[in-house]
Amino acid sequence: MKIISRVSVFPVMPQRITRLYELAFNLWWSWNYTAQELYRTLDPDLWDELNHNTVRFLSNVEPAKLEKAATDEEFLKKYDSVLVAFDAYMNPKSTWYKDTYPQYKDNVIAYFSAEFGLHEALPIYSGGLGVLAGDHCKAASDIGLPLVGVGFLYPQGYFIQRINYDGRQEAFYEKIHFSEVPATAAVNQKGEEVVISVDLPGRKVYAKVWKIQVGRIPLYLMDTDVDPNLPGDRDLTARLYSGDHELRIMQEIVLGIGGVRALRALGIAATVYHSNDSHPVFQGLERVRELVQGQGLSFDQAKEAAAASGVFTTHTPVAAGNDVFNHDLIDRYFGSFWPYLGIDRDGFMNLARHDQPWGAGYSMTVLALHLSNQHNGVSALHGSVSRNMWQWLWPGVDADEVPIDHVTNGIHTQTWLAPELDELYTQYLGADWKERIDDSALWQAIDTIPDQTLWDIHCRAKKTLIEFLRKRVIQMRVEVGEGTGSVEDAGHLFDENAFTIGFARRFATYKRATLIFRDVARIQKLLGDKKRPVQIVFAGKAHPADDPGKSFIQRVHQISRQEGFEGRIVFLENYDMNMGRYLVQGVDMWLNNPIRPNEASGTSGQKAALNGVPNASILDGWWPEAYNGKNGWAIGEERTYQSQDIQDEADSLALYSLLENDIVPTYFNRDEKGLPLGWIKVMKESIKTVAPYFSTRRMLKDYTNKFYISSIKQTLMLSTENYTGAKAISSWKRAIYDGWNRVAISAKTPVESKLALGQEFKVTAQTYLGQLKPSDVVVEFLMARDEDGKLVNQEIITMELANGPDQNSLYNYAANVKVSQGGSIVMGVRVLPTHPALTSKHELGLVRWA
């Protein structure tokens, strides 16, 4: 039979509990375990079987069980309590954003991402980037941010991972039926379903827009599996992250250009456009096109207005994570587009030019940096790495001052916290602790929790994990046709009393999943110690096109079946958010050993720490900001190596030493009651230090305070009165670029080779500005301490215009300086362009040093 449509048929819901339907279509339930328990209570086995999908669950649950629940006083009491909490959440008297920025409560932030990891029932995410995007939306809902999400509702999602008998990863895809997930057709202000189109070579491609409600936040997701698309175009958004560049560019055109058109069709006029990584950045081109075609602006004027509202978050220093297309592909897909921008081919190519070993490329990251005024990495270290990576775009600027900031990633606390710990934190931190997650002082009360209480909760979570692990391994062994004995053995895997290490993440090679096996004999001895047994659980997917990553999975699997490792090593297939919760809540320690500095941030360890699971990690990503010597362990040194083999050797030796001499002994050192007091101390310190700062509540406040409000202000300033501000700053920049080659500066600093701490001296400078005016520039004196060629403690003093121009058209500047630091001091004087409308002093990348 040819299926022309599919619908979910729901049983008639008893009137008393009819709002279970309403709740099912708002992902608020996904981070409120009391709401989830309403469904689980009705039929626990069906709830787990359907992967906790509220919509499928309600369409499959037996009507008799609904009828019974509608007369069960205990169930109704819980039901009423959940609905009271839900209504209070959805209709708050106040929120952080509304209280802090009431004047901007109606300025919408459009958050574009190629994937959103909201819940295992919606497998439209591949890993950390998507889960971060999902947590971003949840936290935006919590603090009342006027944000909308834009992305794809992939019909086949990411692949289902199966590990065959030989340990090879196999990828399978299952179609997601949108009638069976918490998604509804998005409608415009007339109540009509929204379908948008974009132009691809020789045809139009259409996409239907779906809506998913995430608490107070709407998420709009596109799908091209609609008429009248050609069969190939219907599959355009079928799966995440194709390795094929042509399919990738088509997806990114639909995501970026189509995403803007979806917002327009829905009647949403956003003020800020945030690109989560570079995949959606064609949205900037579409907004420039709108301004050129609709407002009559020149390209330069439109670019200023579009960039003012643009926020770009870069997520990886790894080359494979930064899409670069060849110019032939760009010609094919944008040859008819750039005329609408009012520029020629060269101008369009130069927007994103990034020369590669194979020739000139069109870089999505470069395009993103050119079409946004706010840029950030996702940890302090990643911000520094990104500034060095992209310094060439600001050729006159030192790497430390390249205008790429950072906002360190966090996690959505309620999504990842074990229910028992949720109750415990409420008891000891106060009933309002979820409104104060980012308050570090609040978390000091963790020390008042009795050690026995915290340890008992952890041990129960560990037992739950091991039960889950055994069921999964039994299922895996049955699927690959293993014998009865092997299947029965899986039911006894892992020891609740053994020290359990967790390693679960994307199996990219730089994450070095197999580092711990570099010295097989040494790790085998550690795992086989009968007095202090150790076991490791692995999970994670490799991209289907990543053969080296898949070989890492195979190696872990094969080692797990070797004599001496059986029962001590397990690889769990098909890692998802559900499995992730079991792991971060139930293991004893979280292991992270990437090649520094390739881990931009990482968040799995933050989830573990929230649940009292300490980290042992390379000082990469978020960990250098979190590690304090008492809340976990640092593997190796805070440095990089020229040789990968030397780095692997050094890091593996450091890991073995930590495990043998510190970590494992601390875990097994028990008092007379059997409590590992030293370990519990680390657990508490981990919770106290990680939970408040590495939360999305803090993260979203940082994005708001650093970028969103600044972008709103600048956008409003440039767009009022028919874009007068955009026209003015565009003209000013053109004059600066045209006149900068004539700017010159000379300066005089102290001639003494030695200065005393606290000594004052005068610095003078003369500048020739040509056709520019003093109001166009700022002259600065810089002083820093030189530590082995690295400048630290940099001080910048703005020099004052003393007089000028003199008969030689020179302007004189001066500053009085006081020596405030010792050591070897270096000094410099420079002139920069300046304008009130600039987001950063280095926005133009122009500087002239004396």
Side-chain angles (χ1 to χ4, degrees), residues 381-402:
L381 177 58
H382 181 233
S384 175
V385 170
S386 298
R387 287 189 288 275
N388 280 279
M389 276 185 70
W390 304 107
Q391 181 186 11
W392 60 274
L393 290 170
W394 290 268
V397 179
D398 289 340
D400 288 345
E401 292 191 276
V402 166

Side-chain angles (χ1 to χ4, degrees), residues 256-293:
I257 295 175
V260 173
R261 293 178 183 179
L263 293 177
R264 300 294 178 260
L266 291 162
I268 297 171
T271 308
V272 177
Y273 294 79
H274 184 173
S275 286
N276 186 41
D277 216 347
S278 63
H279 309 297
V281 300
F282 287 143
Q283 54 88 1
L285 292 177
E286 173 66 2
R287 292 188 295 115
V288 171
R289 185 200 64 79
E290 288 180 329
L291 292 169
V292 172
Q293 298 294 305

Side-chain angles (χ1 to χ4, degrees), residues 407-596:
V407 172
T408 301
N409 285 345
I411 59 168
H412 186 252
T413 303
Q414 287 176 260
T415 294
W416 300 103
L417 182 63
E420 278 195 90
L421 286 176
D422 189 324
E423 295 174 3
L424 185 71
Y425 293 171
T426 299
Q427 180 181 351
Y428 284 90
L429 304 184
D432 66 340
W433 74 270
K434 291 168 188 171
E435 296 299 316
R436 301 169 55 204
I437 289 169
D438 53 330
D439 179 0
S440 295
L442 168 79
W443 291 90
Q444 300 309 306
I446 291 293
D447 285 333
T448 66
I449 297 173
D451 289 348
Q452 185 74 60
T453 301
L454 182 61
W455 184 246
D456 287 347
I457 288 175
H458 173 69
C459 289
R460 286 194 290 273
K462 185 175 180 179
K463 182 178 181 180
T464 300
L465 165 64
I466 291 175
E467 291 171 354
F468 172 84
L469 177 151
R470 289 169 177 169
K471 289 179 182 177
R472 283 297 183 96
V473 177
I474 288 172
Q475 181 183 345
M476 289 170 62
R477 293 186 178 182
V478 169
E479 285 174 350
V480 298
E482 294 200 32
T484 303
S486 177
V487 173
E488 289 179 351
D489 288 344
H492 306 286
L493 278 174
F494 270 34
D495 177 359
E496 292 177 21
N497 297 311
F499 178 64
T500 305
I501 299 171
F503 183 100
R505 53 188 41 83
R506 184 165 53 91
F507 263 63
T509 52
Y510 77 85
K511 293 177 184 284
R512 296 191 296 184
T514 58
L515 181 70
I516 199 167
F517 301 121
R518 186 173 175 89
D519 187 334
V520 174
R522 192 166 177 182
I523 192 62
Q524 185 177 9
K525 181 180 178 182
L526 188 70
L527 269 59
D529 189 326
K530 293 182 179 179
K531 291 184 179 180
R532 301 188 306 192
V534 177
Q535 54 200 13
I536 312 174
V537 55
F538 290 87
K541 297 178 178 179
H543 188 282
D546 182 5
D547 289 332
K550 288 188 285 187
S551 71
F552 276 28
I553 291 175
Q554 186 173 21
R555 175 159 167 74
V556 171
H557 177 82
Q558 290 173 343
I559 287 176
S560 74
R561 309 307 294 269
Q562 287 180 11
E563 185 178 351
F565 288 99
E566 286 186 307
R568 294 296 180 198
I569 304 288
V570 164
F571 183 92
L572 297 180
E573 69 181 11
N574 207 38
Y575 183 43
D576 66 357
M577 290 179 69
N578 180 44
M579 184 186 293
R581 285 192 297 273
Y582 280 102
L583 290 168
V584 299
Q585 294 168 12
V587 299
D588 292 311
M589 188 195 79
W590 200 254
L591 177 63
N592 182 44
N593 43 233
I595 299 170
R596 174 186 162 95

